[in-house]
Amino acid sequence: MIVVTGAAGFIASCLVTRLNAANFNDIVVVDNFAVERKLANLKGKRLREYVDRNEFFDWLDKNHEEVEFIFHLGARTDTTEQDKAIFDLLNVEYSQKMWRACCQYQLPLVYASSAATYGSGTLGYSDDDALLPLLKPLNPYGDSKNDFDNWAVQQEEKPFFWAGLKFFNVYGPNEYHKGRMASVILHAFEQIRQTGSMTLFRSHNPDYADGEQQRDFVYVKDLVEVCFFLMQNRQHSGIYNLGTGEARTFLDLTLNTFKALDRPADIRFRDTPEDIRDTYQYFTQADMSKLRSIGYTLPFTRLEDGIDDYVRNYLVPGKYL
């Protein structure tokens, strides 16, 4: 039995599909299932049981002997949310409770961290543990992820295998419900179809031209392959970056979205909203050497190929993974 938290969300629902494809069908999905707009992500998947996130630990106490692995991907991920208490409750305290339960019942754990922990990137993007206490995230979401990473590595008692994954800019199927927090590719797709043009944030940093802001965009299909690899290779615990190792510009992303839609490019710019302007990351690029060093050899999808697959095979027909 495999447990997946945040299962109705973007990344976790794609992981469930990957597990089903490998004939893992004894899957317990954990989430707040009252959020109806997310439920389509789980439609048609082979599952054993739905468990509300608030009831999960009681469920685990009764069923832990059957559980083989836990993927804890559930979190509050809104980078514009400023209420620290929400993040403390859902991202830190819930994850600490998960960690302790995995220690108690000797269960392997993979959990979601975030590249938001790197803040402005002045210290680089190495996933070396020594840098963790020095990182200064730019928002309460990033703080919560960094707080838990620091807490985890400091614990004397640890699950016999655990991995924290610092997701960079993930895009791909099953993010229809995410609204403002969806990938720029989904926003570009919707804008281009509606207006024929795409508006990007103007640069407010003299080191970057408009549209030349760079991020490490990683296709969700690659991300879940890493999760699957870690489930099968439970030897090297630790915190790992999960990007592609190659930063690309928002212009690259947008031009490839126009191309996948067979539309002529029409790109415009507007000021970055003031509520996120001071915390905006202009460059992210994962150092992937640590994950490679433990034997992960699969290539990461080129941005051009990922966008083409996502747009043509999912967004245009309105399909889910």
Side-chain angles (χ1 to χ4, degrees), residues 203-210 282:
S203 174
H204 299 270
N205 182 329
D207 294 333
Y208 293 86
D210 292 343
Y282 279 81

Side-chain angles (χ1 to χ4, degrees), residues 138-279:
L138 298 174
N139 52 48
Y141 165 70
D143 283 332
S144 71
K145 289 298 187 180
N146 196 47
D147 287 348
F148 182 72
D149 287 344
N150 275 283
W151 181 89
V153 298
Q154 292 167 11
Q155 296 309 296
E156 290 187 11
E157 187 177 15
K158 296 178 170 65
F160 75 86
F161 172 76
W162 65 274
L165 300 178
K166 292 198 178 200
F167 299 153
F168 277 66
N169 281 73
V170 190
Y171 68 94
N174 298 14
E175 59 170 336
Y176 297 109
H177 65 282
K178 287 179 67 69
R180 186 179 180 183
M181 291 298 108
S183 74
V184 178
I185 298 166
L186 178 56
H187 289 300
F189 169 79
E190 292 176 341
Q191 281 192 39
I192 293 166
R193 293 244 289 195
Q194 292 169 10
T195 70
S197 65
M198 172 59 183
T199 302
L200 295 174
F201 290 154
R202 185 172 288 114
S203 174
H204 299 270
N205 182 329
D207 294 333
Y208 293 86
D210 292 343
E212 296 290 338
Q213 303 97 317
Q214 297 181 59
R215 300 285 178 87
D216 191 333
F217 300 104
V218 58
Y219 199 22
V220 70
K221 291 184 180 182
D222 293 339
L223 192 150
V224 300
E225 285 297 335
V226 173
C227 291
F228 192 78
F229 166 83
L230 291 170
M231 184 181 74
Q232 295 184 305
N233 297 270
R234 309 172 189 182
Q235 298 178 343
H236 304 281
S237 295
I239 293 175
Y240 296 92
N241 281 337
L242 217 176
T244 65
E246 181 183 5
R248 300 292 299 272
T249 70
F250 282 99
L251 281 176
D252 289 336
L253 179 152
T254 307
L255 289 170
N256 278 287
T257 307
F258 276 105
K259 183 179 179 182
L261 282 166
D262 300 312
R263 298 280 190 97
D266 182 356
I267 301 173
R268 306 171 189 190
F269 297 94
R270 69 180 177 92
D271 287 346
T272 304
E274 290 191 10
D275 66 333
I276 63 171
R277 191 177 300 177
D278 292 340
T279 60

